[in-house]
Amino acid sequence: MSIGYNHVRARIHVQAIADNFKDMNRRGGNCFAVVKSDAYGHGLSTVAEALAGAGARTLAVGTVGEAAVLANTTFTGRVVSLLGPQLPEDYALAVKRRVICFCGRREQLRRLDEAAGAAGGKALVSLKFDTGMRRLGFLPEEATEILELLRGLVHLEAVMVSSHLATADEPGAEAFVHEQATRFKEIVRVLRAGGLVVEANLCNSAALLAFPEYHFDGQRPGISLYGGNPFYGTSKENLGCCLRPAMEVTSRIYQVHDLKSGEGINYGLTYCAERDMRVAIVGVGYADNYSRALSGKSWMVVAGQRVPVVGRVCMQMTAVDVSAVPEARAGDTVWLMGGDSAVAIHACELAQWWGTISYEVYCLMGMNPREYVLDR
Ligand SMILES: *Cc1c(COP(=O)(O)O)cnc(C)c1O
């Protein structure tokens, strides 16, 4: 959270996150709840405590610094850092907090071993392999050499082996998932044959839902916990349809007035009224992470009805057509996301208008001041 100058509020239903976790955990056991990037904009500490209450025993953060934040919560389980140590200052912190670090470079292993030795302890590691994403990780053919390297690093304990799928949420790209999973299986086999006792984990939300055959020992769902359907708008949409959105975003109406036929509105006058109408000026704009790309493309909910955005999204204001909502008044609440169930705007839908994915919508909208709703 960092935006503090507006009337936008991200309301978080923590029970929905707890319920989604239980649901995902039933489908694929031993779920590591992914809470990186401030729990996808939902608030790291509060979400961590809700997940702990729902039975989560392992949380996955991004940076090692986020793991340190968890130390000040009631969550007492294991913490995995998906990025692992990246900067020099991360190594000692990772050892001190007993974070299980994703490591995909030899240098990371050596420096973590050194830091653990200096602290008189052990560092916990998840060996991260690149099976096709081409971002981070050891290559499959390095598995044997990594085993040898580990024999010399006596302050390290490799407790997991991981890889990440590039196309799990794309119907039609299953062949590449199978290819990556096949490579991963072979890596796991080699490491175990070499004597390592490692928990294998491969699946993100999409893979957990769509590829039960690749569940291995642990799963790493993120977006699904917050109610995002990784298959929204695809032929596999049904797989994630029962997840409950946890974030609603509201603002307030500043002013309501008439717009006469032929009048334009907002910068560039890009929208021109085709008939006499009424517009509401809503207190949200791109400074609140409500993207200017939504100009003329988005909808909001006012008094139980969907109303279209007209003209450009400005820095702190956006106009909507409320001709069909005569009761709309200054001060009324407007939903940018969520709203009465029949017309509720889902993050995935907002993402589509925006030209992005629900992940980005959650991360960005979640930077607005948050309020937590504990019942529901
Ligand atoms: C973010 C992340 C996940 C979670 O992915 P979702 O698609 O949000 O479920 C899992 N594994 C890794 C390595 C990640 O970085």
Side-chain angles (χ1 to χ4, degrees), residues 307-329:
V307 295
V309 166
V310 289
R312 287 199 178 136
V313 171
C314 308
M315 189 181 287
Q316 298 193 286
M317 287 179 283
T318 299
V320 288
D321 174 4
V322 290
S323 304
V325 195
E327 67 269 40
R329 295 281 180 280

Side-chain angles (χ1 to χ4, degrees), residues 140-154:
E141 55 269 28
E142 289 180 285
T144 308
E145 294 161 39
I146 298 305
L147 268 173
E148 272 159 35
L149 176 66
L150 283 174
R151 287 197 185 99
L153 303 176
V154 297

Side-chain angles (χ1 to χ4, degrees), residues 92-131:
L93 188 59
V95 174
K96 183 176 168 203
R97 297 292 178 198
R98 290 191 59 76
V99 179
I100 302 170
C101 291
F102 270 44
C103 290
R105 296 196 302 274
R106 286 157 207 246
E107 177 223 357
Q108 281 177 310
L109 294 178
R110 288 197 199 94
R111 294 178 68 170
L112 202 51
D113 179 67
E114 245 173 58
K122 282 233 171 192
L124 304 173
V125 167
S126 180
L127 298 170
K128 159 124 185 178
F129 280 85
D130 177 0
T131 54

Side-chain angles (χ1 to χ4, degrees), residues 34 36 40 82 102 128 135 164 203-206 220-224 359:
V34 179
K36 67 190 179 195
Y40 291 44
L82 299 172
F102 270 44
K128 159 124 185 178
R135 190 174 61 179
H164 198 43
C203 292
N204 58 3
S205 298
R220 307 188 307 264
I223 194 71
S224 52
Y359 298 69

Side-chain angles (χ1 to χ4, degrees), residues 3 5-6 8 249 266 282-300 309-319 336-337 349-357 360-368:
I3 298 174
Y5 43 67
N6 63 17
V8 179
V249 184
N266 269 337
V282 180
V284 64
Y286 54 79
D288 314 304
N289 285 346
Y290 194 76
S291 174
R292 192 168 175 278
L294 291 164
S295 297
K297 291 191 178 152
S298 176
W299 296 74
M300 297 185 190
V309 166
V310 289
R312 287 199 178 136
V313 171
C314 308
M315 189 181 287
Q316 298 193 286
M317 287 179 283
T318 299
L336 318 172
M337 221 164 92
E349 209 177 354
L350 184 57
Q352 214 165 41
W353 300 329
W354 193 320
T356 182
I357 52 175
E360 187 176 1
V361 167
Y362 284 133
C363 289
L364 293 181
M365 295 318 288
M367 287 179 188
N368 285 288

